[in-house]
Amino acid sequence: LADNGICCIDEFDKMSEYDRTALHEVMEQQSVSIAKAGITTTLNARASVLAAANPAYGRYNVRKSPMENINIPAALLSRFDLMFLLLDKQDSQADF
């Protein structure tokens, strides 16, 4: 329910396939259909989505694409206009 706002999602990589499918549909159509207690309606979902995900297996592999690293389908990733990678280089002197 983030119409004309921002929807923030943490642990995006751990979403179930069902939730990913629903989110993809919402991002594509900018609306969500709800059926509860015999009432069916469609709500606007014109929102910006900010999502954070961790790499698969706990480490980012620079030899793989971002899609392979975070294990999210390309069709869903293509719905995002910008993607930022925050990488922590291993350094035994600086890491405590």
Side-chain angles (χ1 to χ4, degrees), residues 80-94:
F80 291 91
D81 294 325
L82 301 172
M83 183 175 12
F84 296 95
L85 296 175
L86 302 177
L87 300 176
D88 181 22
K89 306 276 187 198
Q90 287 184 324
D91 182 358
S92 59
Q93 298 296 322

Side-chain angles (χ1 to χ4, degrees), residues 60-66 68-69:
Y60 192 87
N61 184 343
V62 294
R63 294 184 183 103
K64 293 183 178 180
S65 70
E68 294 170 312
N69 269 292

Side-chain angles (χ1 to χ4, degrees), residues 1 32-36 39-43:
L1 300 176
V32 61
S33 298
I34 298 176
K36 282 278 191 187
I39 299 171
T40 304
T41 189
T42 301
L43 301 173

Side-chain angles (χ1 to χ4, degrees), residues 2-8 46-50:
D3 190 34
N4 289 326
I6 185 165
C7 174
C8 299
R46 302 162 297 194
S48 297
V49 178
L50 175 66

